[in-house]
Amino acid sequence: MEIRFANAATPKSGALVLPVYDGRTLTEAGRAVDTATGGALVRAMEHSRFEGRKDQQLAVVAPAGLPVSRVLLVGVGKAAEASAERFQALGGIACAALNAAGDKEGTILIDAAEGLSLALAEAAADAAFGAKLRSYRFDKYRTTEKPEKKPTLTRLTVAATAAAKRAYAAREAVADGVFLARDLVSEPGNVLYPETFADAAKALKKDGVSVEVLDEKALRKLGMGALLGVAQGSARPPRVVVMQWDGGRKGEAPVAFVGKGVTFDTGGISLKPGPGMEDMKWDMAGAAVVVGLMRALARREAAVNAVGVVALVENMPDGNAQRPGDIVTSMSGQTIEVHNTDAEGRLILADACWYTQDRFRPKAMIDLATLTGAIIIALGDHHAGLFSNNDELSQQLAAAGTAGGERLWRLPLTDYYDKQIDSDAADVKNIAGNRNAGSIIGAQFIQRFVNKVPWAHLDIAGVTWSKSDAAITPKGATAFGLRLLDRLVAEHYEGK
C-alpha cells in the first residue's frame, strides 16, 4: 500500500476518512463535507450509537453530493486528550475498514480542531504511521487464498499540511523496522534458525549498520558456556550477531540492546507439552525487535551510537542435549547449575549481556525476551514486564511505552528474590525451588550478569504475538517494544 501526502481537499474518488471528536464534533473540513451531502453525516451520527469516542467508526456509503465511495467517520475522543496513539489508531482503523469494504484508494482528511492538543502535522503523520503499521501482512506461504480475502487498498492519501510529510519520514523508517521484526517472528523454525537469522541480520549492512557474526568457534573462545550449553542439543549451531550504528559522536559510549533469539524452543530435556508448542517459533521475538530497531535507527539516521546484540540458538532434546543438573561456566566466570532446561532464555542472555557490557561499556543496556509464561499470568497481553536496576531508566522506558501504546509495568528486584537462586553446587541456579514469582526470578538471574551497568529487562512473552486484530497490529507478530525503544533513543540519547 502506497502512502502519500497532498494538500487538504475533498477527493474526487475512493473513500474519505474523517476524524470526529467526542460529542459528534466534526472538524471544519468535516462540516463542509456534511454540507455537501445535505447533512447526511450528522443524520447518520444522530441515528446511531456513534459519539466520536476513541476508536468508534461509522460508514456512510455512497453519500449524495460527493464523488466518493463512502465516508468513514472515525472517533478520536476529546480533542484536548488527543495523542499520537489515538491518531495512529485512526489510521489503522481506516486502513482495515477500507480493505474490508473493498476500496482501492482512500483519503484521510486531517485538519484543525478546536482544543486539539497535538500539532496538526504530527497528528497527520501519526495517522499515516498507524495505517502503514496496520497494512502489514505475512502471506509468503499462502498459495490458495481467495481473492476476496486479500487486501484491496493500494493507495492511501493523507490530506494535510506539507509539514506532515516531513514528520512522517522518521515514522516510515520505524515502520520498516517493525515490518522486518514481524517478518522474522512470523517465519517458521524450519526456515529461520540461528544461521539464517544471522544471514537476515547481515542485510542491515545496506542500511549502513556494521554487522559481525560470531560462530560457534568464536563463542567457545569467548567462554560463552551458558549459551553453548543451551545450543548443544541442536543440529543447528548457535550464533551471536553484533550490530553497530555509529550515528553519534565518535568515541561516545553507545546505548545497547540485547535480544533473546531462541529460534525454536522445545524446552530441551525439560520438554514442553505438545499442545501450543508450535508457538515457540516466536521465542526469538526479542532478537527480532533488536534487529528491526537497528534498521529503524539507521534508516532515520539517528544521531546516536547504538549497539544491538542478539543471541541465537535452538533448544532441542537430542542425545547430546543439556541435562537438568548440569553445571556450566558462563562468560563472566560465574558457574550456573541448570535445574530446568526450559529456562534457557536467561542462560543465553547471561552470556550476551555480559559480553555486551564488557566489550562496549554502554551508557545503558536493555534486553528484550519472551522469557517467562509467568509474565502472561501476571500481566496478560496488554503490558510487558519491566525490571530494572535503575529508577531513571525505568521511568524513561515506562513513559516512552505509554506515549506510543506499548505499555510496561515495573516489577520488583530485591535481595529476597535473589537469594532464591543461590545454588548449593554452583554460584547460581537458573530457577528457584518453586514456581512463585517466576518472571521476577528470571530477571533476577539476568541481573547477576549486567555488572552494575544501568540496565532494564523487558519480558515480552505476553505481548509479542496477537491472537486477534488490533488498531495498528494485525493478528500475528507485533514487534512489541521497537517503537517504544526508538522513542526512548530519540528523547534521551540522540544527540546527547
Side-chain angles (χ1 to χ4, degrees):
M1 183 185 71
E2 175 193 3
I3 293 179
R4 68 177 191 176
F5 291 80
N7 293 330
T10 303
K12 296 181 179 180
S13 62
L16 174 62
V17 180
L18 296 174
V20 181
Y21 296 91
D22 199 39
R24 298 172 175 162
T25 304
L26 292 164
T27 64
E28 183 178 348
R31 291 193 294 272
V33 172
D34 182 58
T35 299
T37 63
L41 304 188
V42 170
R43 287 198 303 275
M45 289 190 288
E46 289 175 345
H47 290 83
S48 73
R49 294 182 177 179
F50 182 87
E51 296 282 350
R53 292 191 293 272
K54 62 178 182 177
D55 301 343
Q56 284 188 315
Q57 57 178 293
L58 176 66
V60 180
V61 181
L66 290 176
V68 301
S69 60
R70 73 193 71 248
V71 176
L72 179 67
L73 306 178
V74 181
V76 184
K78 295 180 180 179
E81 298 176 0
S83 63
E85 182 182 6
R86 290 193 186 179
F87 276 93
Q88 288 169 20
L90 181 152
I93 289 168
C95 177
L98 299 189
N99 268 318
D103 286 297
K104 293 183 179 180
E105 59 180 317
T107 299
I108 302 177
L109 185 51
I110 304 290
D111 66 327
E114 185 177 352
L116 182 62
S117 59
L118 197 64
L120 200 58
E122 297 294 314
D126 279 318
F129 185 42
K132 176 78 171 179
L133 292 174
R134 186 62 176 81
S135 71
Y136 175 82
R137 295 184 92 228
F138 186 79
D139 56 5
K140 65 183 288 187
Y141 299 112
R142 295 179 181 178
T143 62
T144 60
E145 188 176 23
K146 295 179 179 179
E148 60 268 25
K149 291 191 174 181
K150 294 182 179 180
T152 58
L153 194 62
T154 59
R155 186 172 66 193
L156 184 66
T157 300
V158 179
T161 63
K165 183 176 182 178
R166 295 192 295 271
Y168 176 66
R171 290 165 172 82
E172 186 177 29
V174 174
D176 291 342
V178 168
F179 281 20
L180 173 58
R182 288 177 179 175
D183 281 347
L184 291 170
V185 174
S186 300
E187 287 286 2
N190 62 316
V191 174
L192 193 79
Y193 43 90
E195 294 158 293
T196 55
F197 194 127
D199 289 340
K202 289 179 185 177
L204 296 187
K205 292 179 181 180
K206 296 178 181 179
D207 298 310
V209 177
S210 171
V211 181
E212 177 185 1
V213 178
L214 305 178
D215 62 14
E216 187 171 7
K217 182 179 178 180
L219 302 180
R220 202 168 298 282
K221 186 175 180 180
L222 286 167
M224 291 194 183
L227 183 151
L228 291 165
V230 175
Q232 71 187 42
S234 174
R236 307 287 193 187
R239 294 288 185 267
V240 169
V241 180
V242 182
M243 297 156 284
Q244 297 181 68
W245 168 251
D246 296 323
R249 292 187 293 270
K250 186 176 180 179
E252 183 179 22
V255 56
F257 306 95
V258 182
K260 171 190 171 184
V262 180
T263 58
F264 195 83
D265 181 21
T266 67
I269 296 298
S270 304
L271 192 67
K272 293 178 180 290
M277 195 190 289
E278 66 277 6
D279 288 344
M280 289 300 95
K281 71 176 186 177
W282 47 253
D283 205 22
M284 36 57 69
V289 169
V290 171
V291 173
L293 176 64
M294 296 303 291
R295 166 162 287 178
L297 295 176
R299 290 198 172 179
R300 70 173 183 81
E301 299 182 343
V304 68
N305 292 336
V307 170
V309 176
V310 294
L312 308 173
V313 301
E314 190 177 55
N315 188 21
M316 300 293 280
D318 85 342
N320 194 47
Q322 185 167 253
R323 297 156 290 266
D326 282 3
I327 295 176
V328 295
T329 302
S330 68
M331 184 182 175
S332 71
Q334 297 176 75
T335 55
I336 303 167
E337 184 180 12
V338 180
H339 279 207
N340 189 314
T341 65
D342 193 26
E344 84 298 330
R346 64 201 66 180
L347 295 174
I348 68 172
L349 287 173
D351 278 341
C353 285
W354 186 268
Y355 172 83
T356 302
Q357 64 81 31
D358 183 59
R359 175 177 173 182
F360 295 104
R361 309 295 182 187
K363 293 180 179 178
M365 181 169 66
I366 300 153
D367 78 74
L368 300 94
T370 49
L371 202 75
T372 66
I375 203 67
I376 305 175
I377 303 300
L379 299 177
D381 60 3
H382 190 60
H383 286 75
L386 165 63
F387 305 82
S388 183
N389 63 1
N390 185 281
D391 290 341
E392 183 180 14
L393 177 59
S394 179
Q395 291 163 5
Q396 291 170 351
L397 281 163
T402 298
E406 293 185 318
R407 289 172 173 79
L408 306 174
W409 193 264
R410 190 179 186 185
L411 287 90
L413 294 172
T414 69
D415 289 343
Y416 170 80
Y417 298 110
D418 193 66
K419 291 176 182 177
Q420 295 183 41
I421 52 174
D422 286 339
S423 167
D424 292 334
D427 296 324
V428 61
K429 57 187 178 181
N430 73 330
I431 62 169
N434 54 51
R435 300 182 66 185
N436 296 344
S439 300
I440 297 174
I441 294 298
Q444 202 77 58
F445 178 93
I446 298 168
Q447 185 177 225
R448 291 200 181 196
F449 301 87
V450 303
N451 207 18
K452 297 184 179 180
V453 169
W455 157 81
H457 161 64
L458 307 185
D459 192 336
I460 58 174
V463 292
T464 204
W465 190 270
S466 177
K467 295 183 178 180
S468 59
D469 292 332
I472 62 173
T473 307
K475 180 180 178 181
T478 66
F480 183 101
L482 195 155
R483 292 181 293 119
L484 81 85
L485 291 177
D486 178 77
R487 182 181 289 269
L488 175 81
V489 169
E491 293 180 349
H492 300 288
Y493 294 99
E494 197 166 347
K496 299 177 182 178

